């Protein structure tokens, strides 16, 4: 395994950091393809000297993608955006960028390409994010037929974008909005399990299983997840139902902020349940026992606890 070279696009992101750690433990040689090579210094401490190398890449630029892939044995694409900004559109990143990676991987003859999409990705979604994820999957498959597609549900763990955001909101706001009444069903999956799943996809024989939908051991409603945040942070807050149409208006207004906490497109993606389909391949098929939210959440959102109540 130590001679295996893996290029990880988006390796500096939330899931990427966990994957790099997992790969470093297995002594793989890792290239972290990123637009900010200077910021991966802390990742390099996860491996031996020279084991983890940054490589300046923008997946919208085919030449930099080829440079990052040449000589690699396997490729993982973890690049994704939650909202559009200037040239970083869903089409340019999730579809064209993904196609750039598949083209370069195919040309370089890499043995495996793992493409990270998202649960709920479908061409018919009203969410532009989810539509572009479906189109990206298709573009990748058209070029690199044996690419393995991994579709996680909402991913939780230290530095996640979901629980941290609502825990922070609960600290400053007297109420928590239940988007769409809080009825949407979600199957949060632990970031360590997602990293493990990608690791298994890289190393085991998964040729016949090309799409994995990754969810945790339990399905929750949005309301139940908000209740869990409040219980874990020992706060009492009103849970106020907010119809989808009102949440979309708030999302549209938030789009003008430098880092929007919510967009109308994210609200659209919450209009549908986010759970693995019965027929999909899952963590189980990879031999991974999924981690419950309750076991991990207190380890990182307790910093949002009510002062004096932190236990
Ligand atoms: N987190 C979740 O709950 C969740 C759920 C379902 C699916 N996913 C999918 O899983 C993947 C990883 O998610 P994540 O949470 O780890 O995301 P993240 O923390 O936002 O990381 C994404 C990375 O994409 C890179 N990136 C963006 N545009 C780029 C470009 N033009 N060229 C090169 N790199 C670019 C950024 O790296 P640099 O800034 O270093 O270049 C960033 O570190 C994404 O595809 C996401 O859609 C995530």
């Amino acid at each position: 395994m130590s001679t295996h070279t893996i290029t990880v696009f988006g390796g500096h992101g939330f899931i990427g950091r966990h994957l790099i750690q997992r790969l470093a433990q297995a002594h793989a040689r890792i290239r972290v393809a990123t637009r900010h090579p200077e910021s991966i210094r802390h990742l390099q401490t996860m491996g031996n000297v020279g084991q983890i190398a940054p490589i300046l890449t923008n997946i919208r630029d085919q030449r930099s993608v080829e440079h990052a892939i040449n000589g690699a044995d396997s490729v993982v694409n973890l690049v994704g955006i939650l909202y559009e900004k200037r040239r970083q559109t869903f089409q340019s990143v999730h579809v064209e960028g993904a196609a750039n990676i598949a083209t370069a991987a195919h040309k370089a003859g890499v043995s495996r390409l793992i493409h990270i999409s998202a649960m709920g990705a479908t061409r018919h979604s009203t969410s532009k994010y989810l539509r572009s994820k479906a189109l990206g999957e298709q573009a990748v498959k058209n070029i690199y037929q044996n690419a393995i597609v991994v579709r996680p549900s909402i991913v939780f763990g230290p530095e996640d974008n979901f629980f941290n955001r609502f825990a922070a909101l609960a600290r400053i706001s007297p109420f928590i909005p239940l988007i769409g009444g809080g009825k949407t069903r979600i199957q949060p999956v632990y970031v360590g399990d997602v990293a493990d799943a990608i690791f298994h996809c890289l190393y085991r024989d998964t040729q016949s299983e090309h799409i994995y939908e990754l969810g945790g051991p339990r399905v929750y409603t949005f309301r139940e997840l908000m209740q869990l945040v409040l219980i874990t942070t020992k706060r009492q807050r009103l849970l106020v139902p907010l119809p989808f149409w009102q949440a979309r208006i708030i999302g549209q207004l938030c789009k003008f902020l430098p880092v929007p906490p919510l967009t109308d497109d994210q609200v659209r993606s919450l209009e549908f349940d986010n759970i693995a389909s019965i027929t999909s391949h899952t963590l189980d098929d990879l031999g991974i026992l999924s981690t419950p939210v309750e076991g991990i959440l207190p380890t990182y959102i307790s910093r949002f606890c009510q002062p004096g109540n932190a236990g």
Side-chain angles (χ1 to χ4, degrees), residues 83 85 250-258 260 262-265:
Y83 52 87
K85 203 132 244 180
I250 295 170
Q252 266 164 0
L253 297 173
C254 287
K255 269 205 298 209
F256 299 105
L257 298 171
L262 182 76
T263 67
D264 52 329
D265 198 69

Side-chain angles (χ1 to χ4, degrees), residues 10-17 33-36 39 57-60 77-81 88 93-94 116-119 129 133 152-155:
H12 179 239
F14 168 50
I15 300 173
R17 292 191 292 275
T34 168
R35 290 169 302 167
H36 309 105
S39 61
T57 316
N58 186 327
I59 67 160
R60 292 185 281 109
N77 177 16
L78 277 160
V79 173
I81 53 172
Q88 285 277 100
V93 175
H94 294 163
I116 315 307
S117 181
M119 201 180 276
Y129 167 85
K133 281 290 192 182
S153 180
I154 287 174
V155 184

Side-chain angles (χ1 to χ4, degrees), residues 196-216:
D196 266 1
I198 298 169
F199 183 83
H200 277 72
C201 288
L202 279 167
Y203 289 109
R204 60 179 254 174
D205 187 15
T206 49
Q207 289 303 320
S208 57
E209 300 157 357
H210 286 160
I211 297 187
Y212 287 89
E213 294 198 333
L214 307 185

Side-chain angles (χ1 to χ4, degrees), residues 17-30 32 40-53:
R17 292 191 292 275
H18 287 261
L19 177 64
I20 301 298
Q21 190 166 24
R22 186 74 175 83
L23 291 170
Q25 284 161 358
H27 307 294
R29 274 204 300 262
I30 308 154
V32 182
I40 77 138
R41 216 160 286 149
H42 65 288
L43 288 184
Q44 289 177 299
T45 61
M46 291 175 183
N48 301 323
V49 178
Q51 189 190 357
I52 302 172

Side-chain angles (χ1 to χ4, degrees), residues 129-271:
Y129 167 85
L130 290 173
R131 252 189 347 262
S132 69
K133 281 290 192 182
L135 292 170
E137 287 180 12
Q138 194 54 57
V140 168
K141 286 286 197 181
N142 287 345
I143 299 160
Y144 191 112
Q145 207 184 348
N146 287 336
I148 297 172
V149 173
V150 175
R151 296 177 182 156
S153 180
I154 287 174
V155 184
F156 68 91
E159 298 168 35
D160 71 32
N161 222 339
F162 185 81
F163 288 108
N164 277 302
R165 186 157 294 191
F166 285 103
L169 181 66
R171 185 161 61 180
I172 55 167
S173 165
F175 68 91
I176 301 279
L178 290 179
I179 297 171
K183 297 188 192 103
T184 309
R185 293 185 306 150
I186 299 167
Q187 196 179 357
V189 59
Y190 176 49
V191 64
D193 294 340
V194 176
D196 266 1
I198 298 169
F199 183 83
H200 277 72
C201 288
L202 279 167
Y203 289 109
R204 60 179 254 174
D205 187 15
T206 49
Q207 289 303 320
S208 57
E209 300 157 357
H210 286 160
I211 297 187
Y212 287 89
E213 294 198 333
L214 307 185
R218 228 192 104 181
V219 173
Y220 304 79
T221 61
F222 186 88
R223 174 189 281 273
E224 287 170 335
L225 290 177
M226 292 306 107
Q227 285 167 335
L228 199 54
V229 168
L230 293 178
I231 290 166
T232 312
T233 56
K234 301 179 173 71
R235 287 187 190 273
Q236 290 190 333
R237 295 288 184 262
L238 283 176
L239 293 173
V240 180
L242 183 69
F244 284 124
W245 68 269
Q246 280 179 10
R248 281 200 297 272
I249 293 174
I250 295 170
Q252 266 164 0
L253 297 173
C254 287
K255 269 205 298 209
F256 299 105
L257 298 171
V259 181
L262 182 76
T263 67
D264 52 329
D265 198 69
Q266 283 166 352
V267 175
R268 284 182 207 282
S269 65
L270 273 173
E271 289 174 17

Side-chain angles (χ1 to χ4, degrees), residues 4-8 72-76 110-113 202:
H4 205 105
T5 299
I6 301 162
T7 299
V8 183
D73 299 292
S74 303
V75 172
V76 179
V110 306
S111 62
R112 204 154 280 198
L113 168 62
L202 279 167

